[in-house]
Amino acid sequence: MGKNDNLHKAKEAKNDEFYTQYEEIQLELNHYEDKFKGKTVLCNCDDPFESNFCKFFLRNFNYLGLKRLICTSYGTSPVIGQQLTLFDWMDEPVMSGNGYVMDITEVPMANGRGVSDADIETLLKSKKRGVKKLNGDGDFRSEECIEYLKQADIVVTNPPFSLFREYVGQLIEYGKQFLIIGNVNAITYKEIFPLIKENKVWLGYRSLNKYVF
Ligand SMILES: C[S@@+](CC[C@H](N)C(=O)[O-])C[C@H]1O[C@@H](n2cnc3c(N)ncnc32)[C@H](O)[C@@H]1O
């Protein structure tokens, strides 16, 4: 592998770890509020402790009337192994290289008026309902993650840029509805453009110079 290949791979890896701002998610998702009632949402590139997609759906779980929320994280997530205190309550030590899953069907509210950060923390730390270790690394293409995909109605995330084509291909293969962030160049990909032409995929409401949903 040449020096440029290494640089290219390092840049791709850095892009793959770009995290989405809460406000960006909220502003786009505001347009689809009525689409989530009774649905199972999967965020399958999302560390439950780190991802604002998870946070958004936890905060709005009751408001949107979700049936179930599943978030799976990938083994190389930077939070794994660094913020160990977050995982202190788990029975087993946290393994770098392992993926984690949060799979919930209710978000209890302490004050009954809205989901607070304290409610979210309690839920994430709950031994019964909180975050559990996956068998593998949480790759969205792995068997156990595909099982979660099969159970989902809508997939919402910002997937790794370097795997965008494969990621969308899998969603189409399993016939899932989705709302995802991608680089604007993705419109021109030979795997993506025909989907837009056939009206199977369309652009979101916001930031057209930056993202395609
Ligand atoms: C662009 S980041 C976005 C993270 C998060 N979804 C968000 O929007 O803040 C892409 C995420 O996908 C994860 N990832 C990379 N390769 C993956 C794979 N094969 N399967 C699942 N997740 C992967 C990365 O660790 C990273 O957390």
Side-chain angles (χ1 to χ4, degrees):
M1 190 187 281
K3 195 173 160 199
N4 280 345
D5 291 338
N6 277 333
L7 275 177
H8 184 66
K9 283 235 171 310
K11 200 168 160 226
E12 268 191 353
K14 203 169 159 217
N15 280 340
D16 281 355
E17 290 304 333
F18 175 85
Y19 290 92
T20 314
Q21 303 289 308
Y22 191 92
E23 293 68 30
E24 287 289 341
I25 295 168
Q26 181 153 41
L27 286 168
E28 184 65 23
L29 281 243
N30 278 346
H31 295 277
Y32 310 94
E33 274 188 8
D34 58 335
K35 303 282 184 274
F36 289 98
K37 200 169 170 46
K39 297 288 164 70
T40 294
V41 169
L42 172 67
C43 307
N44 58 356
C45 297
D46 294 271
D47 185 320
F49 295 101
E50 194 84 341
S51 163
N52 284 317
F53 281 97
C54 299
K55 194 170 184 182
F56 176 85
F57 284 112
L58 283 170
R59 270 202 190 147
N60 293 285
F61 189 95
N62 300 321
Y63 174 72
L64 294 171
L66 291 189
K67 180 175 153 201
R68 185 174 167 199
L69 173 65
I70 309 165
C71 299
T72 55
S73 74
Y74 188 49
T76 62
S77 165
V79 79
I80 302 289
Q82 282 181 25
Q83 297 185 23
L84 280 177
T85 49
L86 278 174
F87 294 90
D88 280 353
W89 68 91
M90 293 182 91
D91 288 333
E92 304 170 68
V94 169
M95 306 285 292
S96 176
N98 250 104
Y100 287 81
V101 59
M102 183 197 67
D103 182 358
I104 53 142
T105 51
E106 56 175 337
V107 179
M109 297 179 284
N111 70 12
R113 269 178 280 122
V115 178
S116 66
D117 286 348
D119 292 330
I120 291 178
E121 196 180 329
T122 307
L123 184 64
L124 288 174
K125 289 186 173 181
S126 151
K127 274 213 166 115
K128 194 161 147 245
R129 283 189 282 235
V131 179
K132 308 240 161 43
K133 199 161 97 174
L134 289 167
N135 295 323
D137 63 3
D139 190 315
F140 66 85
R141 299 160 292 189
S142 65
E143 221 173 279
E144 60 185 331
C145 288
I146 289 177
E147 278 310 310
Y148 284 121
L149 177 64
K150 287 181 189 165
Q151 293 164 42
D153 297 303
I154 311 176
V155 180
V156 188
T157 193
N158 178 356
F161 294 137
S162 65
L163 298 173
F164 192 78
R165 296 171 171 88
E166 212 174 321
Y167 187 84
V168 175
Q170 183 171 286
L171 294 176
I172 299 289
E173 184 187 340
Y174 286 90
K176 296 299 164 185
Q177 290 190 305
F178 58 89
L179 188 59
I180 60 169
I181 296 182
N183 190 289
V184 73
N185 295 333
I187 301 172
T188 61
Y189 294 169
K190 70 176 189 319
E191 297 86 350
I192 307 294
F193 184 68
L195 298 172
I196 295 176
K197 233 172 109 191
E198 291 163 29
N199 212 23
K200 287 186 179 159
V201 171
W202 54 93
L203 300 182
Y205 287 86
R206 290 182 34 82
S207 310
L208 293 184
N209 59 344
K210 207 169 159 200
Y211 298 128
V212 43
F213 281 84

